[in-house]
Amino acid sequence: MNATIPISDRFRVKTPQLDMPPRILLGPGPANVDPRVLSAISVPPVGHLDPTYLKVMDEIQDLLRYAWQTENEMTLAVAGTGTAAMEATLANVAEPDDVVLIGVKGYFGNRLVDMAGRYGAKVCKMTKTWGDAFTLEEIKAGIETHKPKILALVHAETSTGVRQPLEGVAELCQQHDCLLLVDTVTSLGGVPLHIDEWGIDLAYSCSQKGLGSPPGASPFTMSSRAVEKLQQRPNPVPNWYLDMSLLAKYWGTERVYHHTAPINMNYALREALRIVAEEGLIERWQRHQRNAELLWEGLAELKIECHVDREIRLPTLTTVRIPDGVDGKAVSKKLLNEYNIEIAGGLGELGGKVWRIGLMGYNSRPENVILLLNALKKVLY
Amino acid sequence: MNATIPISDRFRVKTPQLDMPPRILLGPGPANVDPRVLSAISVPPVGHLDPTYLKVMDEIQDLLRYAWQTENEMTLAVAGTGTAAMEATLANVAEPDDVVLIGVKGYFGNRLVDMAGRYGAKVCKMTKTWGDAFTLEEIKAGIETHKPKILALVHAETSTGVRQPLEGVAELCQQHDCLLLVDTVTSLGGVPLHIDEWGIDLAYSCSQKGLGSPPGASPFTMSSRAVEKLQQRPNPVPNWYLDMSLLAKYWGTERVYHHTAPINMNYALREALRIVAEEGLIERWQRHQRNAELLWEGLAELKIECHVDREIRLPTLTTVRIPDGVDGKAVSKKLLNEYNIEIAGGLGELGGKVWRIGLMGYNSRPENVILLLNALKKVLY
């Protein structure tokens, strides 16, 4: 021991055993997770190159392919939260001076703009009011004007609750030799989504919303077209941790060490994906839709308006307008402190104007709808 | 529902309930974790802006400051595994054309070289045989020759088992207006380490070795000198997820949303750090030293040589030379399959030449030493 350097106990703080409140997470995520998933996350870890763990990785890849309806070989879980998977899409294919066209109609569109700029892309924006979606004509015009190498759209905008229709977009992209990059953070596992049928080249998501796992391991997929662009880069990907040319060697057959995987997070993700496969995608999407409609009916009865038109409204996340004269923050604080219910306020343009209510994954259940509606009634009236 | 697109069940694979073998993880990490930590990781998550979670973050920051012996305000857990925290140090302070001098004496020195290059730094290398450490004179000569903005050294080289002495290095760095960046992946929580006393400006580590938590949330700290360099950057950090100017607003008093934190990983890290504080740093370092010496004595009795000189040998990770005529891979495979014991082979220059044996965190216990020595004896003779 180095006896000459004394140890400081200044930050040797005494903390009690972890004792968290039993929250009912009805905001934009994380959502509560199935007890089966919590049980899986606490299984003692094995090594990240253990043959039994490599099998877990393979299973996660297959089950993700099912959840995303894709045959993409490069389908895996990024070792970070959804934002890391988001950055992984841009970091790998947005090269310096590539034109990247981004549809901005909420907070996460803006985040894509910020990120793409950091990778040296020439960023162009299409914008739309927060609460709207782009029409196919608008997207066509954007592509024709800017001639992007990559078009990025947010399928499920977590800040507005809007579902961006994607039918027909891939055809436009392919005509213009452009990759289609899609944010599916709030759609995967809860909203109809067909990666291959819709011709999506790059997509990312998170574990803690529609899939019902804790945050920390995040779905990522890229098509062979996107892989080709990656392979043709003249220089290494300017992000080591998220470099898919290296990650492909760990998740693929070579099994070359890249990073020490978040073993327990992936145990959890595997269990969450197993539950998706057991339930079935159609059944799961229908459940999310059914419970969302129950919520919307109940809100109407309370004379609370939804912010987004029904045709493009996400079943996973609903933005509702805070009634005139009501202090939105005070209401959500009361819901949290008196009933352990978490809902969230608006972001950006919608700050102070809406609440965001999530019914996602394990939490998309009628009992949660009834509870929330009645707690809201108590707090409001 | 979109009735026109059929659902493919090709990847709807049937998987059994997770059933992992009870491994004893005596390789370079992950190590086994205390049951208290596994219990904490399975506590149901709350929201990432919940007041009760913000308190968990504060506690993690304080306990990390204790474990690292630092008062750095910017001390936090990166939402990824150790490699992400490694990249965070370079991404934030290594600006294009900055000279970064890296001491390479093993695999992770090379990884720093690769990463720094991706951020546009002018990378210079000092090299040393894998198994050696740099002398203060060599470091001085390197600084005087290359005049770097950043000097990066690996305190505990996980590929070689070498402890790099750091006394006196900071004075050299400060004389030459250079930041000192140190890899403490295999030292934090197991090997004497004094961030402030040693004048370290940037350090990163992992959760799954000396701290005894599963991989997935990774310690990071930076001094006010390093923060100053970050603040003076003319352009944004070219990595959004790891941008400390954004992360400071989430971990600091502003509490601005940045990413959905890996809540459960941080529950686990908090519990692991609580255990460190309960045990006390001196006691913990002594325990690691004591058990490593037990291992070294036992290996000597088996006529197995350690690769690294005693004075610079890490107590957390020992590289031992594979005896002549022994198939190293076959031995580690047998240990795994017959006794559930994981040890690892060498990386890079030491591939096929050494085994790597870890006694880290919860696993640094005499019973593990006895078990490993006797299992090795059975497999070898």
Side-chain angles (χ1 to χ4, degrees), chain B residues 196-227:
Chain B
D196 287 358
E197 280 293 329
W198 289 350
I200 296 169
D201 293 299
L202 291 135
Y204 56 90
S205 192
C206 69
S207 51
Q208 88 275 4
K209 301 190 205 284
L211 297 183
S213 188
S218 301
F220 170 96
T221 190
M222 72 196 291
S223 69
S224 51
R225 284 178 75 211
V227 170

Side-chain angles (χ1 to χ4, degrees), chain A residues 236-248:
Chain A
V237 172
N239 186 317
W240 202 94
Y241 192 62
L242 302 175
D243 181 345
M244 287 297 152
S245 62
L246 300 176
L247 283 160

Side-chain angles (χ1 to χ4, degrees), chain B residues 297-315:
Chain B
E297 283 161 28
L299 289 168
E301 279 167 29
L302 291 178
K303 310 267 180 258
I304 296 177
E305 261 185 286
C306 288
H307 179 65
V308 173
D309 282 349
R310 184 107 184 192
E311 306 80 64
I312 53 166
R313 196 184 294 162
L314 285 172

Side-chain angles (χ1 to χ4, degrees), chain A residues 91-217:
Chain A
N92 281 279
V93 299
E95 295 174 70
D97 296 329
D98 275 357
V99 175
V100 177
L101 175 61
I102 299 173
V104 178
K105 54 176 180 16
Y107 183 89
F108 292 94
N110 277 327
R111 179 169 291 192
L112 281 165
V113 168
D114 185 354
M115 275 186 190
R118 292 179 191 227
Y119 287 91
K122 282 191 182 141
V123 181
C124 305
K125 291 199 279 185
M126 305 186 285
T127 55
K128 198 88 192 184
T129 314
W130 290 32
D132 275 355
F134 294 98
T135 63
L136 196 57
E137 290 65 41
E138 287 165 339
I139 294 169
K140 185 165 185 265
I143 293 177
E144 286 171 353
T145 307
H146 300 290
K147 302 192 193 338
K149 288 261 177 76
I150 300 162
L151 168 69
L153 294 172
V154 179
H155 182 222
E157 180 49 82
T158 319
S159 64
T160 65
V162 165
R163 182 182 59 76
Q164 170 65 53
L166 293 168
E167 290 86 349
V169 176
E171 288 70 20
L172 294 174
C173 287
Q174 280 157 22
Q175 280 162 26
H176 291 81
D177 199 21
C178 158
L179 294 177
L180 177 57
L181 187 163
V182 175
D183 177 324
T184 69
V185 166
T186 302
S187 54
L188 180 62
V191 182
L193 176 58
H194 307 266
I195 293 289
D196 287 358
E197 281 292 331
W198 289 351
I200 296 170
D201 293 297
L202 290 135
Y204 56 90
S205 192
C206 69
S207 51
Q208 88 274 6
K209 301 189 205 283
L211 297 183
S213 189

